[in-house]
Structures are given as structure tokens and as C-alpha cells.
Amino acid sequence: MLLRLRSLRRFLLGAFQSRLPFEQRLRSGLCIFLLVIIFNLLVSPIFCSTTNIIYNWYFGYVLDENYGRLAPESTIEENRNHVVHETICSKLFPDSCFSVVDVFDEKKNEVNRALLVKGFDSEYDTMVRLRKPNGLDFRNSDTRTWKIDHRAITSQYIAAMIAAPFMVGTLSLDNSMNVRKTMLNIGLGGGSLDMFFHIIAPGVNITVVELDPTMVELAQRWFGIVENAHRRTVVGDGIKVIEKTARENHTYDVIVVDACDLSHNLPCPAAGFRDENVIVNIKKLLTPMGCVVVNLLALESETMEKETDSVVELLKSHFPVCVKAWLPDELNIPVVCLPYALENSDISLLLYRKRFEMASAQFGLNVVLKNAIFRGV
């Protein structure tokens, strides 16, 4: 063994000794170069992957070439299909706590990132798809490094709220017609809705208002939201923003209200947005051919229909036209309302359904929106 090491040492030193003939030094250098390439292509990946798997199995952590061991706050649950990256409580509302969790769907071979709210552990506030890097999977990589796929919508109600402005004609399926259109989104969550709009309709100027600065931090750190000339996040009270912009006679083509509170009866929309004055101000903010899209969610089965119907009636008392979505797989009820009347509501509803199908197909939402339908109210 000692003789072999000495031979290898003589070989390596000889490759760079100037007194040797040039051809011999060149051959030795090429041999070293080829050995380095072979090691990197064959030996190094096998060694790293094997070390990764053994370390993951023994210590319960995942290794990554960029991050190394997962951060101390990251834990893998017993079923090995969930990674909890961070749990943090709101600075504004200390009783409101959030967890960022990566979830592996074995049947679909997909990894999603979810935002869970304490007290609503069976429901997620936001879920986005992660892009799997080539050659890596959920159990042999640190999913914190994976990119967000903002074009992949996993929630039916988010998909329906995206399709709604196109359905009623406020936004066009021809993107050139959406330049200088404006959107006000009340409620950020993980930003899946507004980031989807930002990608498919880059000409739309989007303002997102979020009450909780902790939610904004989480969305920026874990859910890949961007801040630029066409999409911005404002930390503030959505109701006060609506009041202020209404006084300033500012208008928006699309207003989305997806703001919820911690009520277990009717969390969405939050109680403050079910006020007559707020509804009046929202209507003032709309352009003549604009629309408002509101997410309704009731959780108590005994009072669910009564609670949601009360919000729909409130909206109908101020808007001439409202239609609501029926979603087969979710409790959420997206409602879209218009500030103008329709001459023939039956024909218009048929036209809306056709546009809904076209928007769903064009934006790749037809699978998640399968069997979903908008109905007049």
C-alpha cells in the first residue's frame, strides 16, 4: 500500500516537473484531468447520494448541497410526508399562529407548500405547488430550495375567483386588452391568487392589502411573492384603505375580497367586510364595467346556508347582478357582483358559463374546476 501511494505521488509530481519532455508532461496532465472528470461524474454523485440517504434515515434530516442540514425549526412528521419549516405567531394578533408545511402527495408524486392557521388544522389557508428539481425528490432534498410554481392552482375556490373577472368580461382573454387594468386584492394569504394574475395578465396593475405584517413576511419568505411596478403589497387595514381610496375617487376594474377572521361560524369574509358602509365604498371604487369577487366560507353545517345567504343578500342589496359558484369539492363559495344591470340575465348567464369554460381551459384550470359552475342568485 505504501509503495502504491509513493508511486501515485511520483506520478502527480512528475506531471508538472519542467525537466521532463513536454509530450510526457502533457500526457500526464491529460490523465489527471480525465481522472478528475470521472470522479466528479461517477464517484462523487454516488458517494453524496449514499451519504444523504444514510444521514436522512439515521438522523431524520434531509441534506441538500446548498443548505446542508435542515434548519433546527424544520421537522419531519412521523408519516414522512410532511415537513414543517416554520411556526410563528403574529406580532399584531398573538393568538393567531401560522405553520409553513411542505406536503408530499404520493399518489400524484407532487409536493405542495401549505400555510396552516392554528385552530383550523384540518384546513389550509394557502397551498401552492413546488417545482421538483431534476434528479431530486421529496425525501432526498431540502424542499426549502425548491421554486414555487405560481401557474399551478390547487384550490377550486382560488381557481374560480381567478376565472370570475374573465367570465363577466371585466378582464379579457386577449392580454393586450388588459393593459392599464387595475386590481385591488384585500387579503394576501400566500399570494397564490394575485401571483397567478401577475403571471397570466402582466399588464394588470395589482395592489394587495394585508392587515398582518407577519403574513407578508411569510409570503415573501416561503411563497415567492414579488414586489415590482405591476404588483405591490401594502401592509394596512383593508377597510381603511377602501374608505380612503373611495374618498379620493380612485377606481379599480377588479376588487377581490379574500379576507378572513378566526370565527368558526363565518370566517370569510371577515366581519368588518359585512358592513353596509364597506359594501357601499367597494361599489364606489369599481369602474363602470368592473366587478367585485368575494370569498364566502361558513364552517358550521347547521348554520352554513343561513350564514352565506345573509352575505349574498347584503351584496344583492347594493349590486344589480350577483352570481355565485358551486364547487363540488370545497365549502368556499366565490361570489362575483357587477355594478350594472343586465338586459337579459338568462342569456348573459349562458354567456358567462361559456366564458368560464374558455378561461378555465386557457389558463389550465379546467381540471381543478371540473364540475364547478356559476349560478345566478
Side-chain angles (χ1 to χ4, degrees):
M1 182 66 180
L2 184 60
L3 291 174
R4 289 178 183 176
L5 290 174
R6 288 174 177 171
S7 299
L8 178 62
R9 179 175 176 270
R10 284 197 301 270
F11 172 76
L12 293 173
L13 289 174
F16 300 100
Q17 287 179 348
S18 58
R19 64 174 177 267
L20 293 176
F22 174 77
E23 292 80 4
Q24 186 174 344
R25 281 186 287 137
L26 180 62
R27 284 197 301 270
S28 299
L30 287 174
C31 289
I32 293 172
F33 180 70
L34 289 173
L35 285 172
V36 171
I37 291 177
I38 292 171
F39 180 83
N40 277 282
L41 290 178
L42 300 178
V43 180
S44 180
I46 296 171
F47 175 77
C48 292
S49 297
T50 304
T51 304
N52 194 348
I53 293 169
I54 294 172
Y55 194 89
N56 180 24
W57 169 77
Y58 187 78
F59 292 103
Y61 289 104
V62 180
L63 293 180
D64 186 89
E65 59 272 19
N66 295 318
Y67 277 73
R69 198 180 75 170
L70 282 174
E73 65 270 18
S74 298
T75 58
I76 303 179
E77 295 187 1
E78 290 182 0
N79 64 9
R80 313 288 288 174
N81 287 341
H82 295 71
V83 178
V84 181
H85 290 308
E86 182 176 9
T87 297
I88 187 172
C89 294
S90 168
K91 301 179 183 70
L92 195 61
F93 308 103
D95 292 335
S96 183
C97 300
F98 311 97
S99 293
V100 178
V101 184
D102 285 355
V103 183
F104 177 48
D105 186 332
E106 289 189 90
K107 291 182 179 179
K108 298 180 179 179
N109 193 27
E110 295 172 349
V111 181
N112 298 306
R113 178 162 295 160
L115 183 65
L116 302 180
V117 182
K118 181 182 178 181
F120 296 85
D121 297 330
S122 61
E123 301 286 337
Y124 57 84
D125 183 84
T126 294
M127 183 173 282
V128 296
R129 182 76 43 78
L130 299 183
R131 291 177 178 169
K132 184 170 65 173
N134 292 333
L136 298 178
D137 59 37
F138 181 75
R139 293 194 176 90
N140 71 8
S141 176
D142 184 344
T143 53
R144 292 177 307 166
T145 66
W146 295 16
K147 302 296 184 183
I148 306 294
D149 185 358
H150 289 293
R151 289 194 66 106
I153 298 297
T154 61
S155 166
Q156 280 190 329
Y157 98 87
I158 291 291
M161 293 181 80
I162 288 169
F166 299 94
M167 177 186 74
V168 298
T170 303
L171 296 181
S172 173
L173 293 174
D174 179 0
N175 252 336
S176 65
M177 304 295 290
N178 294 324
V179 176
R180 296 191 180 90
K181 291 290 181 73
T182 55
M183 174 184 293
L184 176 64
N185 191 354
I186 307 296
L188 172 64
S192 58
L193 183 143
D194 54 88
M195 283 301 299
F196 188 93
F197 272 116
H198 185 55
I199 291 172
I200 65 166
V204 177
N205 198 311
I206 302 172
T207 299
V208 184
V209 180
E210 172 57 47
L211 177 62
D212 193 343
T214 302
M215 184 69 76
V216 177
E217 292 175 15
L218 288 172
Q220 291 173 339
R221 183 157 62 245
W222 294 105
F223 292 90
I225 66 168
V226 300
E227 305 288 336
N228 55 39
H230 280 84
R231 190 218 166 272
R232 68 202 58 81
T233 306
V234 177
V235 178
D237 187 332
I239 294 174
K240 292 181 179 179
V241 170
I242 289 171
E243 291 175 351
K244 181 176 181 292
T245 50
R247 287 196 305 269
E248 296 171 348
N249 295 319
H250 193 80
T251 57
Y252 292 92
D253 295 289
V254 180
I255 298 177
V256 177
V257 180
D258 191 13
C260 306
D261 56 31
L262 298 180
S263 167
H264 282 269
N265 290 327
L266 185 65
C268 309
F273 293 92
R274 304 196 296 269
D275 181 84
E276 291 272 357
N277 293 328
V278 175
I279 302 299
V280 168
N281 283 328
I282 288 175
K283 187 177 180 181
K284 285 181 181 178
L285 288 177
L286 288 176
T287 57
M289 298 301 291
C291 71
V292 57
V293 188
V294 183
N295 173 35
L296 308 186
L297 176 63
L299 298 178
E300 296 294 336
S301 57
E302 295 81 4
T303 60
M304 186 179 298
E305 187 173 354
K306 179 182 177 181
E307 297 279 9
T308 55
D309 284 350
S310 66
V311 181
V312 172
E313 290 302 317
L314 174 62
L315 293 169
K316 284 175 61 180
S317 67
H318 294 278
F319 292 93
V321 176
C322 289
V323 293
K324 69 178 182 179
W326 178 82
L327 306 176
D329 299 328
E330 295 179 4
L331 296 177
N332 302 74
I333 303 175
V335 179
V336 54
C337 296
L338 311 177
Y340 56 89
L342 300 173
E343 291 185 7
N344 191 318
S345 58
D346 291 336
I347 293 177
S348 296
L349 190 58
L350 291 174
L351 176 61
Y352 289 167
R353 288 175 179 172
K354 183 64 177 177
R355 285 180 182 163
F356 179 70
E357 292 175 1
M358 293 171 63
S360 301
Q362 181 167 323
F363 303 133
L365 303 174
N366 45 329
V367 174
V368 70
L369 286 174
K370 184 180 180 181
N371 298 324
I373 188 171
F374 272 90
R375 297 169 175 168
V377 293

